[in-house]
């Protein structure tokens, strides 16, 4: 796989993109999302299955309450892609699937609201969504008006089948931002662009912005964490880097982690001030996942009113620079480019088959050669995919996040394939409190996962933990004593 480029010291991982468009001069003004959003999203539960319907969404709302998640702060119930008909109405309006949502989206939103929850929907800034449903490109004001009429509280706005050029992406998101502002309804705006270069402009565009590929496996959780290392300056109350949804451990879900990795992701998302959106089988959630997501002490770190993102205070991981994720999501191409690719690939496939057929007429040797060529091309494509597949480096990190009242959160994580002991020594502990301006001589540490206090740490002391392989983690709340 291509080597990751080392980042010169002091240089930001994401360059500031200067955009002079007048449309970017305004800013998001909705008064919501001052702390990271908490809730549930249907994508890693239902995908585009036929069971994504009003009855299922009502059952999800009931479950969020009965499981105690709503009481913990998980208030957003978000329906992802595949809720619309294949085409817009003649007037350009979004049309819900009549068979799945016979009473309409407005009635469904009302039911969700009756449970004390908030209701979210999915749209796309391109001409199609990622699942080839109609996008909102060119119809931003009309679609924003529809969302407000239905009582929608949250919009996830994706980037499939749209330009991957930063300036064009910013302008497209600014159009929907302004359209949502114009409705007068407070709708949390979550843009989904999968790239770190959204972070410098994020605060002016949305309440949160996806800054890494989909977390559909542990390797991409690692990529999201590493990508977020240098993005903390761009997070603040109402504006957060979004490394994607929380993956549960149900193996029947479209994407899942181990229980150990579920805890690691949850702890890291808390320290990174990331949205906590459960993306797993809610109606058949393992008890271990429910216990993890219900930990009020970890949630309190995530929801800390300072709204500051944590940063790395110690790491033995190799240098890392995010890739532009266009190759991970080839559907992010604009319409004309997508059409050219589809036409080109179809033509190439037809020519290969026609050539193979002609070769077979010439004799078995020519036929075998043509077959070998086709197989070779397929193998080359497979190797290319394997080459670009994300990898997890065998390393460990320590993150720290400033909290209100002069406290701090400390997270340790082991990415290696074997157990490892991770230590935050006196220099590391000093770095933890450097951003708070405090210089405590005695620190009280509480293990938020185990629910117990450690012995008080003198300044020459340390916090040392042996972590499990492949996602072992620890999370502490540090309180200065003197």
């Amino acid at each position: 796989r291509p080597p990751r480029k080392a980042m010169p010291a002091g240089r930001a991982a994401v360059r500031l993109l200067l955009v002079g468009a007048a449309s970017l001069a305004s800013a998001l003004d909705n008064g919501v999302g001052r702390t990271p959003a908490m809730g549930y999203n249907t994508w890693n539960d239902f995908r585009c299955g036929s069971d994504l319907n009003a009855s299922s969404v009502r059952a999800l709302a009931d479950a969020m309450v009965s499981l105690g998640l709503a009481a913990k702060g998980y208030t957003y119930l978000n329906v992802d892609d595949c809720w619309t008909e294949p085409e817009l109405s003649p007037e350009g309006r979004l049309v819900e699937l009549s068979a799945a949502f016979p009473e309409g989206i407005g009635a469904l939103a009302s039911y969700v609201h009756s449970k004390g929850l908030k209701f979210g929907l999915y749209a796309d800034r391109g001409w199609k969504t990622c699942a080839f449903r109609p996008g909102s490109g060119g119809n931003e004001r009309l679609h924003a008006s529809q969302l407000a009429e239905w009582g929608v509280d949250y919009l996830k706005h994706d980037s499939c089948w749209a330009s991957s050029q930063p300036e064009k992406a910013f302008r497209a998101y600014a159009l929907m931002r302004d359209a949502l502002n114009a409705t007068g309804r407070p709708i949390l705006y979550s843009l989904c662009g999968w790239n770190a270069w959204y972070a410098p402009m994020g605060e002016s565009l949305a309440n949160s912005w996806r800054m890494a590929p989909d977390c559909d496996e542990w390797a991409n959780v690692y990529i999201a964490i590493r990508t977020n290392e240098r993005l903390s300056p761009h997070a603040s109350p109402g504006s957060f880097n979004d490394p994607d949804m929380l993956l549960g451990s149900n193996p029947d879900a479209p994407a899942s982690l181990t229980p150990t990795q579920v805890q690691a992701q949850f702890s890291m998302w808390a320290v990174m001030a990331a949205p906590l959106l459960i993306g797993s089988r809610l109606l058949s959630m393992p008890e271990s996942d429910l216990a993890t997501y219900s930990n009020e002490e970890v949630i309190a770190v995530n929801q800390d009113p300072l709204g500051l993102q944590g940063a790395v205070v110690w790491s033995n991981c190799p240098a890392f620079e995010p890739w532009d994720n266009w190759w991970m999501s080839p559907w992010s191409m604009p319409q004309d480019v997508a059409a050219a690719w589809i036409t080109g690939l179809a033509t190439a496939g037809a020519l290969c088959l026609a050539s193979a057929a002609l070769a077979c007429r010439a004799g078995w040797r020519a036929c075998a050669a043509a077959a070998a060529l086709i197989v070779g091309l397929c193998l080359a494509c497979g190797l290319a995919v394997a080459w670009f597949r994300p990898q997890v480096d065998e390393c460990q990190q320590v993150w720290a996040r400033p909290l209100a009242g002069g406290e701090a959160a400390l997270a340790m994580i082991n990415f290696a394939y074997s157990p490892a002991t991770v230590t935050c020594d006196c220099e590391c502990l000093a770095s933890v409190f450097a951003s708070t301006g405090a210089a405590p001589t005695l620190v009280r540490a509480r293990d938020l996962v185990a629910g117990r206090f450690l012995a008080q740490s003198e300044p020459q002391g340390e916090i040392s933990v042996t972590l499990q392989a492949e996602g072992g983690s620890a999370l502490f709340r540090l309180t200065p004593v003197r």
Side-chain angles (χ1 to χ4, degrees):
R1 52 181 285 144
R4 298 189 181 96
K5 299 176 182 178
M7 186 70 61
R11 174 184 167 190
V14 180
R15 64 185 181 278
L16 180 60
L17 296 166
L18 300 176
V19 181
S23 62
L24 294 181
S26 57
L28 186 69
D29 182 24
N30 57 16
V32 298
R34 302 300 294 171
T35 58
M38 295 178 61
Y40 159 86
N41 179 285
T42 61
W43 183 248
N44 285 327
D45 194 345
F46 292 86
R47 288 287 203 259
C48 292
S50 59
D51 52 348
L52 178 62
N53 53 46
S55 177
S56 295
V57 175
R58 286 193 293 267
L60 291 166
D62 295 343
M64 290 179 70
V65 175
S66 65
L67 292 173
L69 292 170
K72 303 289 185 182
Y74 295 90
T75 56
Y76 287 101
L77 197 171
N78 299 336
V79 176
D80 208 281
D81 205 349
C82 302
W83 62 271
T84 65
E85 294 285 0
E87 300 295 337
L88 298 172
S89 75
E91 300 78 25
R93 296 173 64 87
L94 293 166
V95 182
E96 60 268 65
L97 286 167
S98 58
F101 306 101
E103 297 178 355
I105 292 296
L108 185 59
S110 295
Y111 183 86
V112 172
H113 291 155
S114 74
K115 296 295 180 177
L117 302 171
K118 299 176 182 178
F119 183 69
L121 277 181
Y122 168 100
D124 192 283
R125 68 180 173 90
W127 62 285
K128 288 288 184 182
T129 71
C130 298
F132 300 97
R133 306 303 171 94
S136 293
N139 289 298
E140 287 83 4
R141 287 200 172 267
L142 176 58
H143 293 179
S145 177
Q146 284 187 266
L147 298 177
E149 291 170 7
W150 287 331
V152 171
D153 307 294
Y154 183 114
L155 174 63
K156 175 183 174 180
H157 206 198
D158 220 332
S159 288
C160 290
W161 299 106
S163 173
S164 58
Q165 296 179 19
E167 292 83 359
K168 291 183 179 179
F170 297 154
R171 292 189 181 97
Y173 277 124
L175 289 174
M176 182 58 83
R177 173 205 64 197
D178 296 342
L180 293 173
N181 282 344
T183 67
R185 180 176 179 81
I187 299 175
L188 191 149
Y189 188 32
S190 172
L191 68 83
C192 183
W194 333 299
N195 277 293
W197 44 257
Y198 280 98
M201 293 298 299
E203 184 177 10
S204 68
L205 295 172
N207 296 108
S208 64
W209 46 91
R210 281 280 306 283
M211 29 56 68
D214 288 1
C215 283
D216 50 12
E217 59 177 322
W218 177 242
N220 274 338
V221 173
Y222 170 78
I223 295 297
I225 293 171
R226 297 300 312 276
T227 300
N228 215 5
E229 285 177 8
R230 298 171 185 261
L231 303 185
S232 58
H234 307 298
S236 62
S239 308
F240 301 100
N241 295 298
D242 179 6
D244 202 14
M245 292 174 279
L246 298 168
L247 291 180
S249 63
N250 189 328
D252 295 329
S256 64
L257 303 174
T258 67
T260 296
Q261 292 165 350
V262 169
Q263 180 62 68
Q265 187 189 26
F266 193 60
S267 295
M268 291 303 301
W269 265 227
V271 169
M272 295 192 300
L276 299 180
L277 296 175
I278 298 170
S280 187
R281 293 288 162 91
L282 185 66
L283 301 180
S284 56
M285 181 183 295
E287 288 294 329
S288 62
D289 290 359
L290 181 60
T292 295
Y293 297 150
S294 300
N295 188 321
E296 294 182 355
E297 293 190 273
V298 179
I299 292 173
V301 170
N302 177 264
Q303 297 289 296
D304 186 81
L306 281 184
L308 300 178
Q309 178 177 312
V312 176
V313 293
W314 178 89
S315 175
N316 62 5
C317 293
F320 180 90
E321 183 175 0
W323 290 349
D324 192 324
N325 290 315
W326 67 268
W327 61 270
M328 293 183 181
S329 302
W331 49 77
S332 63
M333 297 177 287
Q335 183 173 2
D336 55 342
V337 178
W341 269 98
I342 292 170
T343 301
L345 289 173
T347 302
L351 288 174
C352 284
L353 291 175
S355 299
L358 289 173
C360 288
R361 289 184 179 181
W364 70 269
R365 292 182 184 277
C367 187
L373 177 61
I374 293 174
V375 170
L377 290 173
C378 291
L379 287 174
C381 291
L383 289 172
V385 170
W387 183 263
F388 283 105
R389 185 176 177 82
Q391 304 292 326
V392 179
D393 294 306
E394 295 211 39
C395 61
Q396 297 79 39
Q397 288 191 323
V398 178
W399 285 62
R401 177 184 177 183
L403 303 177
E407 295 183 303
L410 182 77
M412 300 173 168
I413 187 165
N414 178 24
F415 297 113
Y417 297 102
S418 58
T421 298
V422 179
T423 300
C424 185
D425 58 17
C426 57
E427 182 178 351
C428 170
L429 287 172
S431 299
V432 170
F433 289 97
S435 61
T436 68
T441 59
L442 191 65
V443 174
R444 183 176 61 183
R446 180 169 174 81
D447 185 329
L448 301 186
V449 177
R452 60 182 178 84
F453 287 100
L454 303 185
Q456 292 176 331
S457 299
E458 297 292 344
Q460 69 272 19
E462 61 185 30
I463 296 176
S464 185
V465 182
T466 298
L467 303 176
Q468 297 180 48
E470 297 185 77
S473 65
L475 179 63
F476 302 96
R477 189 179 189 102
L478 305 182
T479 304
V481 176
R482 66 170 188 264

